[in-house]
Amino acid sequence: MKRSGVTEGFSRDKIVNGVRKACQGRPVTESDLAVLAQRVEETIRATGVAQVDANEIGLAILEPLRELDEVAFMRFASVYQGWESLDDFEDAIKLLRLEHEATEQI
């Protein structure tokens, strides 16, 4: 379900096309994008809900994209989450750094 109220069927191709733009110039293959789209679909289907807001699909993209490529994640998140200032980018970078430090300590 889109913000406008229009209902569309889920499409892996839409996921791949949306994420592909964020991945331009990054070391991400078409196979990587296909796997990401599959993970997003599995996450959405696991909710068991018949209709899902487009916003929920966007949120489901964020984590697998972060794991795939952090620069692409930052690009996608900046548009998807509507970042408006350098502070928004700085906050996201700080969070990524904290996550790196936490995984290094494990």
Side-chain angles (χ1 to χ4, degrees):
M1 171 103 40
K2 295 196 160 260
R3 282 181 235 185
S4 65
V6 174
T7 302
E8 291 184 9
F10 180 87
S11 168
R12 284 188 191 180
D13 289 339
K14 286 183 183 180
I15 302 295
V16 169
N17 289 334
V19 174
R20 184 181 288 126
K21 293 173 189 169
C23 295
Q24 283 182 332
R26 303 296 305 154
V28 176
T29 66
E30 286 299 312
S31 177
D32 293 332
L33 294 176
V35 169
L36 182 140
Q38 179 179 345
R39 286 183 62 192
V40 170
E41 182 175 8
E42 289 169 358
T43 299
I44 296 301
R45 290 195 187 282
T47 66
V49 179
Q51 284 190 347
V52 178
D53 289 339
N55 186 57
E56 293 299 316
I57 295 172
L59 291 174
I61 290 170
L62 291 173
E63 181 59 23
L65 183 55
R66 185 188 65 78
E67 293 171 8
L68 179 62
D69 187 280
E70 290 177 337
V71 171
F73 163 80
M74 293 290 290
R75 290 173 178 171
F76 185 86
S78 70
V79 173
Y80 182 75
Q81 296 178 334
W83 298 349
E84 296 181 2
S85 70
L86 289 177
D87 290 337
D88 295 332
F89 282 88
E90 286 177 356
D91 291 343
I93 291 169
K94 285 177 190 173
L95 183 59
L96 287 173
R97 285 191 174 137
L98 286 172
E99 290 173 359
H100 279 285
E101 290 171 9
T103 51
E104 288 174 1
Q105 293 177 2
I106 293 178

